[in-house]
Amino acid sequence: MVGIRVLMLNKPSLVGEGEELRGAELMTMSREQLAVQRARRSFQTGRTRPLHFRIQQLRRLQNFIKERQKDIKDALQRDLGKSERASELYEILVVEAELHLSITRLAEWAAPRPVEKNLFTLSDEVYVKPEPLGVVLIIGPWNYPWSLTLLPLVGAIAAGNAAILKPSEISSNSSKVIEELLPLYLDKDLYQVVEGGVPEAQELLKQRFDHIFYTGSTAVGKLVMEAAARHLTPVTLELGGKSPCFIDKNCDVGIACRRITWAKLINCGQTCIAPDFILCEPSVLNRVVEEIKKCIKEFYADSTKTSDDYGRIINQRQFKRIMGLMEGCTIAFGGDADEARGYIGPTVLKNVTGESKVMQEEIFGPLLPIITVNGVDEAIQFINEREKPLVLYVFSHDNKLIKKVIAETSSGALVANDCVVHFLDSALPFGGVGHSGMGRYRGRHTFDQLSNLRSCMIKQLRMEGLNSMRYPPHTAKKLSWARCFLLSHLNVQRLRNMVMLAMLASLAAFVVQRFLR
Amino acid sequence: MERQLFQRAKEAFLSGRARPLEFRLQQLHALQRMITEKETEISTALKQDFNRSQYDTPLLELIGIENEIKLAIEKLAQWAAPRPVEKNLLTISDEVYIQPEPLGVVLIIGAWNYPWALTLLPLVGAIAAGNAAVVKPSELSECSSLLLRALLPCYLDKDLYPVVMGGVSETQQLLRLRFDHIFYTGGSTAGKQVMEAAARHLTPVTLELGGKSPCYIDKNCDVRMACRRITWGKFVNCGQTCIAPDYILCEPCIQGRVVECIRQTLLEFYGADPKCSPDYGRIINQRHFNRIMSLMDGYTPVVGGQSDSSQCYIAPTVLKDVPPYSRLMQEEIFGPVLPIVTVSDMDDAINFINEREKPLALYIFCSDKKAIKRMIEETTSGGVTVNDVMMHYTLSSLPFGGVGQSGMGCYHGKHTFDQLSHHRACLIRSLNMESVNRARYPPQDRRRARRARMALKSPLIDTSKRTLVWAVIATILGIGLFITLMVILLIAAGLNCTCWYWRGFYN
C-alpha cells in the first residue's frame, strides 16, 4: 500500500500533521486530481523559485521546439491542413521569439520593482516583488494548438509556477504530440499535460488552481469563470467575437484589401483576431470585392483547393456551422466547398445586414461579409451597438478619422491600416474587454499576469517619535501634525533630481573657479 | 429600482460626458469639497456606527481619501495619456501605444469597517478612469451609508454616480445586472458569490477580501517597540480592520515579555479602563459581538477579556499559548482579540504560515536583514510590512490587494485607475511600405520565410523620448571621456604635439 503525505491546503480546518493516504483512497482520486496534487507538491518544494531553474526549463522548451519541428508540423498538417511555412510563421516562430525574450529578460522581470516613496517612507525599502502564484491551469484552443497553448506556458514557467496543460481535443493530433513529447523535455511533475474532452476539462475545473488561463469561446469562458469563482481563482480569458473592419472610401483600397485578405485567410479564417466582417461605403463595395478577388488569385495562384498555403476547416461540425451562415446573403464570389476534405473556398458575401445569420455569431471561417454604411459615424454606431470586439480594424489615410474611431469605440485592441500584426509585437498587451475577454498576455504581460505582485515595505524599529502622531490618546495637536505630514505632497523623485542637479552645478562651479584661477 | 438607477447611469455614461478630463477633474474636486466641508457630519455618523473617535476618523479615513483625490487630480492627465511601448523591427515605423479607456459602469460594493475610505477610494479611481459608478455602501454601517446617500448627489453628477441602499437582497438584484467591472470589499464567502454572479456576464472583478494576517516577532528584535506598533494596529477600530495583525507568532521565551509590553502599551493608549477612553471603538453590531465572544470560549485571557453586550464593547484581549488548530485560528477574528501562538523558530513560523491560506498581509518584526529576506522569500501574501503593521496600505504607489482567498486585483493611487480602465493596445500603421509585407503573403517560399523569421525574432527596442535623451547624453559623455583619455595618453607618452597648445594657453 502506498501512502502519500498530503497537505490538505484546501481545508485549513483539517490541517494536521500530514495525513497518510492509503492506496485505496488514491484509487478514488481522479486522474486530474492526482495531476494537480503532484504539481502542487512539486511546486511547494520551492524548485521553481530560483531563476536558473526557470531558465533551464525555458531552454528545454526551446530544444523541444527546435528538435521536434517535424512532429509539430506534421500534427498541424493533419489537424488543420497547415502548410509547413504557415506552421512555422504562425505557430513556431512566435513561441521561439517569446522564449528568447523571456530568457533574456527574466532577471529584469523577476527583480524587485522599487516604487515612489513619500515623506514617511523615505528611509524605508519599498518595492513590489513578483512571486509565483502556484499551479496554473492552461486550457488551449484548437485553432493555434501550439502557440496559444505554449505562449501562456512560457509565461507560467518564467513566473515560477507549476502548470497543467489541457490542449484542445479537437486538434487531436497536436494534443497527442504535446502529451507524448512535452514530458520528455520539461520537468514531469511541475508541467503536466492532461488530454481529454469536455468531461476531463470539467473534472479539472473542479480542482483548485491559483490561476486559470483559458483561450476559447465566450460561452465556455463563462463556465470557466463560474468554476473558478468557487475557489476564488483569478482568470485570464482570451475569448473572441466579431472583429469589425472599416474601410474608409478615401484610402488605398487595393493595399487595404490585400492586408485584409491575407489576415482573413490565415488558417482558413479560424483566427480569433481575423477581420470578421467589413464595413464600407456603398461606393467602394464593388472595388473591395474586385480587389479581394485579385489578391486571392495572387496568393493562391488559380486554386485555393490545391494550394499548399490554404488551410482546412478543423472538423465536420465547424464545416456545417460555417456553411449554414451563408443563408440569406448574396455570394459575391466563392462559396465552393468540399465536405469530405473540410474545404471551404474564400467567400465574399454582400447584401448583408445586421440581422443576417452570418452577423449573429463569430464566423471563424473563410466567409467575409461586407456591410455598407454611410460614413464613419454610422460605422461607429454599428460597432457600438454590438459586443466589444477583440480587435477593431480601421483602414484610412486620415489620422483624424482613426483617432475619432479610437475615441468613440471600445475593443480589446485597435489596429489601423493592417490586421493581426499587433499580436506579433510582444510589448503590446494582448487581450479582450467585455465579452471578448479579460486579462492580457504576451511578453512581460504574461509574466505579470501569472505572478503575485506583492507589496513590500521594510521599515526599521526606530524613529518611533514619528509614529506618536498615530497613537492614542489622540489630541488635536497630534492630528494637525499628522495632517501636515500626510497631506504634504512631496514628489520625492523630483526632489532627488533637484538635489543632484544642485550638487552637480556646485561641483561644476567649483571646478571652473579653480581652473580660472 | 436598482435597475432604473443602473440604466440611468449607463445612459449617462454612453452620452460620453464622463469622458473628457475636465469633467473628471471637476467631479474629483467636488468630491474633495464634500470631504472637507462635511467632516463633522461624517465623524458624527461614524461615532454613531461604532463609537469612532473624532480623531480616528480623519486619521484613518478622511486624510487617506483626500490624498487619493489630490493624487488623482495631479496625475490624471499623465495616467490617461497614451503610453508608448517598445517596438520591434516589424513595428519600428509605426505608432504603438496603450490607450487607457473607461470600462463603462462600475459597481462598487463597500464595506462597513471603514465605510468612507473603502467606498470612496474605489470611487475616486472610477471617476478618474472616466467610468460611471453605482455605489452600494454596506447596510451594517447604517448612519454612514445614509449620510453618503444624502451627500453624494449634492456634490457629484446625480446620474453617473448613484447610491443604492439596501441589504443582501438589494445587492443580489444589483449583481444580476450587467456591469463592466465589480469592485467588492468584504468577506471571502460573499466574494465567491460576487465572482459567480459576475461570471454570468463575464464581468471582471476586483475582490478585496480578508483572512488571518500573521504577525511574527523574532526573539532578537526590540520587542517593546514591536509590541507598541502591533498594539496600535490590532486595536484601532476595535480590531475591525482587514489588515489588522490577526495573531502573533513568537517563540515561547519571549511570550511573557510580549504580553507585558502589550499590557503596558494598552495602558498608555487607552488608560486603565478602555471602556471610558474616547479613542476606543465598539463592535459594529450584536451579531459580530456574539461571534467574537464565542471565539474566546474556553480561553482565559491574560489581558482584558471584559465585555459589555449592551454597548457591544469588548476590552482589548490577549490570549496566550493558543493551540494552532483551535477554532480561534480557523476564521478571521475581526475583533479586539489577539491570540499568541508559539513556534519553535522562524522556520516553524514559515511552515505555520504556509500551511494556511495566503493572507492579505504578513507582518515580520526582526532586525536581521537576511532573516527578513528569507521569510519574505519563503512565504506569500498580498502585502508585507516589516517592523510595523498596516503601513504598506498608506503608500499609494504600492498596489494594495490580496492573493488566493484574500482577494484578486489591486488598487490605490494609479493602480485603481489602471484596474478600472481598459488598456487598449493601439497599433497605427500606414498604408505604404507594402513591399516590406511581401514576406508574409502566400505563396510562401524559403526566402519569404527567412525574412519573416528575421522580423519576428527581432528584439524589442525602447524608442521612448526618455531613452533617446539618455542615449544621446551617454554617447556625448562617452565620446568626451574617450577624447580626454586619448589626450592624457598622448601627453603621458611625451609627445610634443600637444605642448605648444598648452604653452600658448599659459602665455
Side-chain angles (χ1 to χ4, degrees):
Chain A
M1 289 256 212
V2 177
I4 296 180
R5 296 194 102 194
V6 168
L7 283 172
M8 308 268 265
L9 285 172
N10 293 357
K11 306 184 180 108
S13 54
L14 295 177
V15 170
E17 288 294 27
E19 301 179 26
E20 302 271 327
L21 266 188
R22 304 285 176 279
E25 280 165 308
L26 257 179
M27 299 289 271
T28 58
M29 284 176 83
S30 63
R31 181 175 68 121
E32 291 75 18
Q33 266 177 310
L34 280 172
V36 178
Q37 290 279 22
R38 225 169 78 208
R40 196 172 286 288
R41 273 184 10 246
S42 267
F43 172 77
Q44 276 158 357
T45 61
R47 295 220 277 295
T48 57
R49 276 188 189 263
L51 294 190
H52 63 79
F53 176 85
R54 306 181 204 180
I55 293 182
Q56 180 216 49
Q57 294 296 306
L58 291 172
R59 281 201 206 284
R60 293 221 190 130
L61 194 56
Q62 261 180 335
N63 293 343
F64 168 66
I65 306 240
K66 214 184 306 188
E67 291 166 19
R68 302 292 179 158
Q69 273 211 23
K70 189 160 179 321
D71 296 284
I72 297 173
K73 288 177 182 171
D74 282 339
L76 282 167
Q77 171 63 245
R78 288 202 296 272
D79 280 326
L80 289 150
K82 263 191 219 193
S83 71
E84 264 197 46
R85 301 268 173 252
S87 298
E88 200 178 332
L89 205 58
Y90 303 119
E91 300 246 30
I92 296 172
L93 275 179
V94 172
V95 181
E96 281 182 338
E98 191 90 334
L99 278 164
H100 179 75
L101 181 73
S102 302
I103 292 173
T104 38
R105 297 270 181 113
L106 186 58
E108 185 194 311
W109 295 349
R113 306 171 186 182
V115 297
E116 222 180 272
K117 300 188 199 179
N118 64 13
L119 206 61
F120 265 130
T121 47
L122 258 159
S123 59
D124 306 325
E125 242 186 280
V126 193
Y127 56 89
V128 174
K129 179 169 180 297
E131 293 184 340
L133 283 169
V135 184
V136 177
L137 172 64
I138 299 171
I139 302 178
W142 53 259
N143 56 339
Y144 291 88
W146 291 91
S147 53
L148 298 186
T149 312
L150 294 183
L151 281 173
L153 179 63
V154 170
I157 299 175
N161 300 299
I164 305 276
L165 256 78
K166 159 71 188 71
S168 172
E169 73 283 11
I170 297 178
S171 49
S172 52
N173 296 290
S174 299
S175 169
K176 204 178 294 167
V177 172
I178 295 182
E179 208 233 348
E180 278 170 7
L181 298 183
L182 204 65
L184 302 177
Y185 289 82
L186 297 183
D187 185 299
K188 286 186 197 24
D189 295 321
L190 285 169
Y191 314 109
Q192 298 174 57
V193 181
V194 174
E195 253 203 300
V198 171
E200 285 79 8
Q202 283 174 337
E203 185 60 35
L204 271 176
L205 286 170
K206 286 201 191 111
Q207 311 310 315
R208 182 175 169 181
F209 290 94
D210 298 286
H211 196 102
I212 299 179
F213 196 112
Y214 170 75
T215 311
S217 71
T218 303
V220 180
K222 289 185 185 173
L223 300 173
V224 170
M225 189 173 170
E226 256 176 71
R230 279 176 224 121
H231 295 293
L232 282 174
T233 301
V235 296
T236 304
L237 305 174
E238 297 285 329
L239 311 175
K242 296 181 75 60
S243 302
C245 186
F246 174 71
I247 307 180
D248 183 25
K249 67 174 189 265
N250 297 322
C251 79
D252 186 334
V253 177
I255 297 184
C257 289
R258 187 195 256 132
R259 297 179 181 187
I260 295 171
T261 312
W262 163 72
K264 180 68 175 187
L265 297 178
I266 300 174
N267 206 23
C268 212
Q270 297 162 115
T271 311
C272 45
I273 44 174
D276 193 275
F277 62 95
I278 292 179
L279 292 166
C280 69
E281 291 189 39
S283 49
V284 278
L285 175 64
N286 290 331
R287 175 103 193 278
V288 166
V289 175
E290 277 314 305
E291 290 291 341
I292 295 177
K293 217 193 251 178
K294 240 177 25 195
C295 288
I296 293 175
K297 215 179 214 107
E298 186 192 316
F299 292 167
Y300 304 106
D302 281 313
S303 176
T304 43
K305 205 167 182 182
T306 53
S307 164
D308 258 344
D309 296 316
Y310 192 75
R312 294 289 178 269
I313 304 302
I314 183 89
N315 62 17
Q316 286 292 314
R317 191 168 78 89
Q318 290 293 326
F319 180 93
K320 287 196 167 76
R321 181 190 65 82
I322 298 167
M323 291 308 288
L325 292 177
M326 293 201 252
E327 257 175 52
C329 310
T330 317
I331 297 179
F333 73 83
D336 50 323
D338 181 346
E339 189 161 343
R341 289 207 180 81
Y343 163 82
I344 300 179
T347 306
V348 174
L349 303 168
K350 55 184 193 180
N351 294 337
V352 185
T353 63
E355 286 71 43
S356 309
K357 194 163 176 210
V358 75
M359 291 302 291
Q360 302 314 313
E361 57 180 90
E362 188 176 359
I363 296 169
F364 230 65
L367 309 182
L368 188 51
I370 307 180
I371 297 183
T372 48
V373 285
N374 295 320
V376 70
D377 286 301
E378 204 182 303
I380 290 176
Q381 201 188 354
F382 189 93
I383 293 167
N384 286 340
E385 280 168 3
R386 287 162 175 70
E387 290 296 341
K388 296 178 186 178
L390 188 48
V391 61
L392 207 143
Y393 298 115
V394 185
F395 284 84
S396 175
H397 283 305
D398 183 1
N399 239 355
K400 277 214 182 77
L401 187 144
I402 296 174
K403 293 282 188 270
K404 183 181 157 83
V405 174
I406 295 179
E408 296 180 22
T409 59
S410 185
S411 61
L414 183 135
V415 184
N417 295 325
D418 209 339
C419 297
V420 163
V421 286
H422 64 295
F423 188 77
L424 304 173
D425 185 341
S426 57
L428 275 175
F430 182 82
V433 64
H435 276 195
S436 51
M438 58 178 81
R440 72 278 277 294
Y441 76 124
R442 287 297 271 121
R444 186 193 175 136
H445 304 287
T446 332
F447 180 90
D448 284 350
Q449 186 90 159
L450 301 179
S451 298
N452 172 29
L453 296 171
R454 189 184 193 187
S455 303
C456 299
M457 181 182 281
I458 310 204
K459 294 182 90 82
Q460 310 277 344
L461 274 170
R462 46 189 174 83
M463 298 219 289
E464 185 66 354
L466 218 59
N467 282 341
S468 62
M469 285 181 260
R470 71 190 198 200
Y471 296 147
H474 293 305
T475 60
K477 185 154 164 244
K478 274 193 193 177
L479 184 64
S480 60
W481 270 111
R483 230 188 252 275
C484 174
F485 263 94
L486 287 169
L487 284 175
S488 66
H489 233 204
L490 202 71
N491 191 340
V492 181
Q493 186 76 0
R494 205 180 293 164
L495 196 73
R496 202 182 315 148
N497 291 346
M498 278 170 60
V499 167
M500 271 188 64
L501 212 67
M503 279 175 58
L504 224 72
S506 54
L507 185 71
F510 175 72
V511 166
V512 167
Q513 201 213 34
R514 292 281 330 233
F515 206 57
L516 282 176
R517 213 181 312 155
Chain B
M1 213 266 287
E2 290 83 25
R3 188 176 285 275
Q4 271 179 329
L5 290 172
F6 166 77
Q7 267 309 114
R8 252 192 7 230
K10 193 163 182 87
E11 279 158 26
F13 172 78
L14 289 171
S15 72
R17 61 169 192 278
R19 242 192 144 106
L21 294 189
E22 303 78 48
F23 178 83
R24 305 183 206 180
L25 288 168
Q26 178 216 52
Q27 294 295 302
L28 290 171
H29 278 292
L31 196 60
Q32 197 173 27
R33 271 199 334 267
M34 183 183 99
I35 301 287
T36 33
E37 286 170 15
K38 301 291 176 179
E39 191 179 320
T40 329
E41 283 91 332
I42 294 174
S43 286
T44 316
L46 281 166
K47 188 150 184 85
Q48 287 170 338
D49 279 328
F50 33 29
N51 201 37
R52 178 83 70 73
S53 94
Q54 63 168 140
Y55 299 108
D56 260 337
T57 296
L59 197 65
L60 302 172
E61 300 215 48
L62 302 181
I63 293 179
I65 302 173
E66 268 190 76
N67 251 348
E68 287 278 311
I69 299 176
K70 267 191 169 174
L71 185 71
I73 291 174
E74 187 188 317
K75 300 272 181 127
L76 186 59
Q78 193 188 100
W79 293 350
R83 304 175 190 184
V85 298
E86 289 172 324
K87 304 184 192 182
N88 61 14
L89 215 61
L90 209 64
T91 48
I92 194 93
S93 57
D94 308 323
E95 242 186 280
V96 193
Y97 59 90
I98 299 172
Q99 174 66 57
E101 289 183 343
L103 284 168
V105 186
V106 177
L107 172 62
I108 298 172
I109 303 178
W112 53 260
N113 55 338
Y114 292 90
W116 294 89
L118 299 181
T119 313
L120 293 183
L121 249 58
L123 181 61
V124 169
I127 297 174
N131 299 301
V134 174
V135 180
K136 159 76 186 66
S138 171
E139 69 279 16
L140 264 67
S141 50
E142 251 189 272
C143 306
S144 300
S145 306
L146 284 165
L147 185 61
L148 186 69
R149 208 253 300 256
L151 288 181
L152 220 61
C154 301
Y155 288 85
L156 299 183
D157 185 300
K158 289 182 193 29
D159 295 323
L160 283 169
Y161 315 110
V163 179
V164 175
M165 299 288 290
V168 172
S169 69
E170 283 78 7
T171 312
Q172 283 173 339
Q173 290 290 341
L174 276 174
L175 287 170
R176 286 202 191 100
L177 303 169
R178 185 175 167 187
F179 287 93
D180 298 286
H181 195 102
I182 300 179
F183 195 112
Y184 170 78
T185 310
S188 300
T189 321
K192 288 185 190 176
Q193 294 172 349
V194 170
M195 190 172 171
E196 267 188 59
R200 276 172 228 127
H201 295 294
L202 280 174
T203 301
V205 296
T206 304
L207 305 174
E208 297 286 324
L209 310 174
K212 294 181 76 61
S213 301
C215 185
Y216 172 71
I217 308 179
D218 185 56
K219 67 174 189 262
N220 295 321
C221 76
D222 183 344
V223 176
R224 205 182 157 276
M225 211 180 285
C227 288
R228 247 169 141 238
R229 298 178 180 188
I230 295 171
T231 309
W232 167 73
K234 177 67 180 185
F235 299 107
V236 80
N237 207 30
C238 212
Q240 297 163 117
T241 311
C242 46
I243 42 171
D246 192 276
Y247 62 95
I248 291 179
L249 290 170
C250 68
E251 291 183 42
C253 52
I254 56 164
Q255 195 178 199
R257 218 160 102 230
V258 167
V259 172
E260 259 324 293
C261 291
I262 296 178
R263 193 201 308 273
Q264 275 175 15
T265 314
L266 283 170
L267 206 62
E268 185 192 325
F269 286 178
Y270 304 113
D273 185 12
K275 201 173 181 184
C276 306
S277 163
D279 298 321
Y280 191 71
R282 298 290 180 268
I283 304 301
I284 183 81
N285 63 16
Q286 273 300 318
R287 188 168 73 86
H288 279 280
F289 175 89
N290 294 337
R291 181 186 64 82
I292 300 165
M293 291 309 292
S294 76
L295 284 176
M296 287 203 281
D297 266 343
Y299 294 103
T300 317
V302 287
V303 176
Q306 304 89 359
S307 61
D308 180 351
S309 159
S310 63
Q311 276 191 43
C312 286
Y313 164 79
I314 300 179
T317 304
V318 180
L319 305 166
K320 68 177 208 176
D321 291 318
V322 177
Y325 310 113
S326 58
R327 217 191 115 212
L328 193 56
M329 294 301 292
Q330 300 310 316
E331 59 178 87
E332 188 176 358
I333 296 168
F334 227 66
V337 176
L338 184 52
I340 305 179
V341 179
T342 50
V343 286
S344 48
D345 55 19
M346 188 181 250
D347 285 301
D348 197 16
I350 292 174
N351 287 340
F352 189 96
I353 294 166
N354 285 341
E355 279 172 1
R356 287 160 175 72
E357 292 298 345
K358 297 175 186 179
L360 186 51
L362 173 63
Y363 301 114
I364 306 170
F365 285 85
C366 180
S367 7
D368 179 2
K369 270 204 165 132
K370 277 213 180 78
I372 294 170
K373 286 272 178 322
R374 188 164 75 86
M375 193 159 198
I376 296 180
E377 267 294 310
E378 295 183 19
T379 55
T380 186
S381 62
V384 184
T385 298
V386 176
N387 292 328
D388 207 337
V389 295
M390 315 204 307
M391 295 310 282
H392 64 287
Y393 180 89
T394 61
L395 189 60
S396 59
S397 52
L398 278 176
F400 179 79
V403 63
Q405 299 290 302
S406 52
M408 59 179 80
C410 61
Y411 73 128
H412 278 188
K414 181 178 181 185
H415 304 286
T416 332
F417 178 91
D418 284 344
Q419 186 89 166
L420 300 178
S421 299
H422 168 53
H423 294 267
R424 191 184 198 183
C426 295
L427 174 58
I428 319 274
R429 307 199 102 184
S430 74
L431 279 166
N432 344 334
M433 303 217 289
E434 182 63 357
S435 51
V436 177
N437 284 339
R438 285 203 193 284
R440 71 192 198 195
Y441 297 139
Q444 279 292 319
D445 59 27
R446 236 195 189 92
R447 216 180 79 218
R448 286 190 174 184
R450 205 181 327 129
R451 257 198 251 154
R453 205 177 300 142
M454 196 182 74
L456 280 174
K457 283 182 135 175
S458 63
L460 286 174
I461 311 154
D462 185 357
T463 53
S464 63
K465 273 203 183 69
R466 208 166 132 233
T467 321
L468 186 70
V469 166
W470 277 114
V472 168
I473 292 177
T475 314
I476 294 175
L477 277 172
I479 294 176
L481 281 170
F482 181 71
I483 294 175
T484 318
L485 184 68
M486 292 307 293
V487 166
I488 292 173
L489 283 175
L490 285 170
I491 296 175
L495 280 170
N496 286 330
C497 54
T498 49
C499 287
W500 64 266
Y501 179 76
W502 294 110
R503 221 181 285 144
F505 187 76
Y506 276 102
N507 286 355

